[in-house]
């Protein structure tokens, strides 16, 4: 299960090597911010989203599996979680958590393939 959480869905429309920095990220019920950093590494793909004023300038780490589609023309990324689900995810601090295996496991539990704590994605 771990490897699937950190991989792009084949239906998301992601092209390896595409710079997603600055793309707007849309939850199922509204915008959550812009991509500040991303990884395309096989089995370790993710987005770091700067939430701006939505969560008072914090960042969130979204595994690539949460992405359902990418619109390069509009520079938008759509994820299969609500704003509330993303806001309730384990708190992310780039300097502390980006390479932290324990934090990654927390995210696997939270964002696993069936959704947070077994709740299906919206």
């Amino acid at each position: 299960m771990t490897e699937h959480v950190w991989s792009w869905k084949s239906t998301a429309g992601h092209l390896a090597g595409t710079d997603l920095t600055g793309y707007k990220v849309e939850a199922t019920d509204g915008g959550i911010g812009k991509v500040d950093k991303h990884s395309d590494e096989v089995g370790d793909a993710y987005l770091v989203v700067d939430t701006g004023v939505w969560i008072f300038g914090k960042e969130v780490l979204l595994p690539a599996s949460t992405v359902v589609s990418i619109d390069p023309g509009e520079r938008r990324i759509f994820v299969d979680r609500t704003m509330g689900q993303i806001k309730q995810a384990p708190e992310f601090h780039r300097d502390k958590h980006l390479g932290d295996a324990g934090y990654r496991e927390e995210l696997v539990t939270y964002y696993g393939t069936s959704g947070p704590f077994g709740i299906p994605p919206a």
Side-chain angles (χ1 to χ4, degrees), residues 37 46 48 61 92-100 104:
K37 177 180 174 53
Y46 61 81
V48 174
L61 181 68
F92 174 69
H93 298 284
R94 184 189 299 231
D95 296 337
K96 181 178 177 183
H97 293 130
L98 203 50
D100 182 340
R104 295 293 182 95

Side-chain angles (χ1 to χ4, degrees), residues 8-9 12 20 22-36 47-51 54 60 62-72 74-87 111 121-122:
W8 299 102
K9 293 177 182 170
L20 301 175
Y23 276 50
K24 292 180 180 176
V25 180
E26 302 282 337
T28 58
D29 56 352
I32 63 163
K34 291 184 179 181
V35 175
D36 187 54
L47 302 173
V48 174
V49 181
D50 180 347
T51 63
W54 176 56
V60 294
L62 295 175
S65 65
T66 62
V67 175
V68 290
S69 67
I70 299 172
D71 182 340
E74 293 287 323
R75 294 181 51 86
R76 290 187 184 274
I77 297 172
F78 298 88
V79 297
D80 63 0
R81 301 299 194 271
T82 65
M83 294 172 73
Q85 289 171 321
I86 294 166
K87 194 172 186 176
Y111 284 116

